[in-house]
Amino acid sequence: MAHKDDLGRWGEEIAAEYLVTEGYSIIDRRWRCPRGEIDLIVQRNGTLAFVEVKTRRTLKFGHPLEAITPAKFSRLRVLAGEWCQSALRPVGLVRVDAIGIVGDGRNVHSLDHRTGLIA
Amino acid sequence: MSIGRTRAIALAGVSGTVVDVEVDIASGLPAIVLVGLPDASLGEAKDRVRSAITNSGFVVPPNRVTVNLSPASLPKQGSSFDLGIALAVLAGAGVAPPESVSQCIHIGELALDGRVRPVSGVLPAVVAARDRGATVVMVPRGNQAEAELVPDIRVLAVTSLRHAVALHGADIEIPDVEPLFAAESVQSFGTDRDLSDVVGQPEVVESLIVAAAGGHHTFMLGSPGAGKTMLAERLVDLLPDLTNDAALEVTSIASLAQLASLDALVTRPPFEAPHHTATAVSIIGGGSGLIRPGAVSRASRGILFLDEAPEFSPAVLDALRQPLESGTITIHRARQVAQFPAHVQLVLAANPCPCGNAGDPNAECTCTPDRRRRYLGRLSGPIVDRVDIRIPVKRVARARLLDNSERRTTTAEAQARIIGAREIAHDRWGQTRPASAELRSGRFRLDRRAIAPLDAALDRGALSMRGYDRAIRIAWTVADLDGVVSPTLDHVGRALYLRQGVTT
């Protein structure tokens, strides 16, 4: 597995730990369908959140959240819809979140959680 | 969530509106969202602003940055909002002092490296800012001289975004960068041409002086090579320097059209000579997006010279009728209206026929009478009727060309007479010329004997009513040039010749 995928996997772990400490319960992880993958699906107070996690080592090439382009974001929304269809149960309120992590694979330099994203 | 705000100017024609630039830095994916009817060049501002902020050593907040330009319903064009947007973002991010930024009006385009580029239209924008009560305006260093032409407002000139932030009171060092200037344009004014270059045509020179003194629209008819263009160019040199108000108006138009990198008021009347393939929009003004002044506005307070006038499209010539009458041009588009000045003195030039030889005793005209008639007939009646002075320009005979004894009028001499005549007219009439009815039968009625030639011409049907009125005005101008209190028979005779000297 490539170096960058290790970092991404590590970032997802950090994000999941963070969300649990924030009181979210984890519904699904790295859910895949032919169109793509959702990193984390979590729930708190009846609201379902689809979370995209981005991890970078440095800020030299911009903030990790800048990597979520409008195209990527709209794909995330489509994936969220796909997941709801496959869930076969009422899902209630839904939103899309993003978590940007700057860290080297051992230490977290910063973690940004943006909730309820719009285009 | 944090807010930054400042102000900028949106121009429509030569009048400007103060635009509030509001920036909201909110949670969300990192993006700059620009709202408030931006056009394409303004929409690209977000990319310029992002690069300029980063390359100035600041950080664009990794949040959702919403930029609103208010009033949101007013269409806005161009790159002059860059500086204001960048400073509002930095004020919202807590980098630039928000108080100082919000009170200043900002005009300027950003280069990707963070330097500030000069923009067009700074003079009318600064005038608009002052008229709306602003006390301080920040402009690109390359526009400093132009902005400082406007009195009663403090001008801060900046070379870079970092410089701008420092001037607003942030504790950062000012980088020593090379300021950006607009490309120098070649000025064609004030050349070495002189009225005394005109050889062997004293009566034509005299007619030109009358045209310049009275600001009369003029039509020159003559063979190719007789010197029509040369004469028109010298006519603009005869006009007196612009008054302060006129100079500000001409400079504003020049700034909008970016005819030159302006560092002083334009004090000489402009001269515009569009080619006869010109479109109506290029003459009248218009264009998509930003409405630009046309040739008739760029020539305002000066001379609009239409060489080969019959070759112009009739629609273009007829579009000039309304601005010639009112002195302004209002351009309507679906989303906005712009008004420009159009106080031009119109000078038309034409050959007598397509081959150009009609009326020349030494050359043979090869045109059929019908062709000749059609050629000048392309000048529509209403346009020709608005022309006061018609000058026949003949080829100069060799004998006169070599005649050194001829006494030629220089530009300086002619200009002195013209300024004198204008002063007399101004003392008599004040700012506004009297109505035609007043000249015919009111306070300024001419002596019955003096006006006899005009009455006779009118009775014969040789002169239209408008022509009659125009001839009276020319007579006054001729009398003013002679320093006479009221036109005499001689002046009226000369006026009639100037009006009717060419039959079209």
Side-chain angles (χ1 to χ4, degrees), chain B residues 62-138:
Chain B
N63 299 63
R64 186 179 175 82
V65 177
T66 307
V67 180
N68 180 36
L69 305 173
S70 166
S73 58
L74 179 81
K76 300 162 199 78
Q77 299 94 9
S79 51
S80 67
F81 294 91
D82 291 4
L83 184 60
I85 294 172
L87 284 166
V89 169
L90 292 175
V95 176
E99 185 71 7
S100 173
V101 169
S102 69
Q103 274 166 16
C104 184
I105 288 196
H106 298 95
I107 302 164
E109 176 181 326
L110 288 173
L112 297 184
D113 62 2
R115 286 190 286 173
V116 181
R117 280 209 165 96
V119 293
S120 66
V122 164
L123 181 69
V126 174
V127 169
R130 183 202 55 189
D131 291 349
R132 277 153 193 78
T135 53
V136 55
V137 61
M138 189 176 275

Side-chain angles (χ1 to χ4, degrees), chain A residues 63 65-66 68 73 98 113-115 117-119, chain B residues 26-30 33 50 60-64:
Chain A
H63 194 273
L65 290 178
E66 284 175 21
I68 305 179
F73 173 73
H113 183 199
R114 302 284 160 80
T115 60
L117 301 180
I118 50 171
Chain B
S27 178
L29 288 179
V33 183
R50 175 180 290 282
V60 182
N63 299 63
R64 186 179 175 82

Side-chain angles (χ1 to χ4, degrees), chain B residues 269-349:
Chain B
F271 179 79
E272 283 287 324
H275 188 251
H276 58 72
T277 52
T279 61
V281 165
S282 74
I283 301 280
I284 297 304
S288 58
L290 182 66
I291 298 181
R292 289 176 190 285
V296 72
S297 298
R298 294 198 303 274
S300 188
R301 307 287 175 185
I303 286 175
L304 178 64
F305 176 51
L306 303 183
D307 203 359
E308 311 296 350
E311 304 286 356
F312 277 83
S313 133
V316 170
L317 288 178
D318 283 338
L320 285 173
R321 276 152 56 177
Q322 183 265 331
L324 284 184
E325 213 59 27
S326 66
T328 61
I329 175 98
T330 310
I331 296 160
H332 292 262
R333 292 290 180 265
R335 292 207 296 186
Q336 58 177 326
V337 175
Q339 196 166 43
F340 294 110
H343 301 275
V344 292
Q345 181 175 356
L346 182 67
V347 178
L348 304 171

Side-chain angles (χ1 to χ4, degrees), chain B residues 117-345:
Chain B
R117 280 209 165 96
V119 293
S120 66
V122 164
L123 181 69
V126 174
V127 169
R130 183 202 55 189
D131 291 349
R132 277 153 193 78
T135 53
V136 55
V137 61
M138 189 176 275
V139 299
R141 173 69 184 80
N143 292 121
Q144 181 179 17
E146 187 181 336
E148 282 174 348
L149 295 174
V150 183
D152 305 327
I153 188 163
R154 199 167 141 233
V155 172
L156 300 171
V158 292
T159 53
S160 67
L161 183 58
R162 224 177 153 78
H163 185 191
V165 172
L167 281 189
H168 277 303
D171 188 19
I172 54 173
E173 89 288 359
I174 299 169
D176 186 21
V177 294
E178 191 77 11
L180 289 164
F181 288 95
E184 290 284 332
S185 72
V186 183
Q187 284 276 28
S188 60
F189 299 109
T191 52
D192 50 358
R193 57 187 185 222
D194 195 278
L195 193 62
S196 59
D197 302 339
V198 180
V199 180
Q201 317 212 44
E203 65 289 334
V204 174
V205 167
E206 192 58 32
S207 304
L208 273 190
I209 292 172
V210 176
H216 300 289
H217 300 317
T218 302
F219 176 53
M220 290 187 286
L221 187 77
S223 308
K228 299 185 292 294
T229 306
M230 177 191 185
L231 289 162
E233 284 169 357
R234 277 151 188 77
L235 177 56
V236 74
D237 298 337
L238 295 182
L239 299 178
D241 282 345
L242 297 168
T243 62
N244 275 346
D245 286 349
L248 202 61
E249 178 187 306
V250 170
T251 313
S252 291
I253 292 287
S255 168
L256 271 183
Q258 209 158 44
L259 294 174
S261 73
L262 298 164
D263 43 20
L265 277 181
V266 178
T267 53
R268 289 298 303 157
F271 179 79
E272 283 287 324
H275 188 251
H276 58 72
T277 52
T279 61
V281 165
S282 74
I283 301 280
I284 297 304
S288 58
L290 182 66
I291 298 181
R292 289 176 190 285
V296 72
S297 298
R298 294 198 303 274
S300 188
R301 307 287 175 185
I303 286 175
L304 178 64
F305 176 51
L306 303 183
D307 203 359
E308 311 296 350
E311 304 286 356
F312 277 83
S313 133
V316 170
L317 288 178
D318 283 338
L320 285 173
R321 276 152 56 177
Q322 183 265 331
L324 284 184
E325 213 59 27
S326 66
T328 61
I329 175 98
T330 310
I331 296 160
H332 292 262
R333 292 290 180 265
R335 292 207 296 186
Q336 58 177 326
V337 175
Q339 196 166 43
F340 294 110
H343 301 275
V344 292
Q345 181 175 356

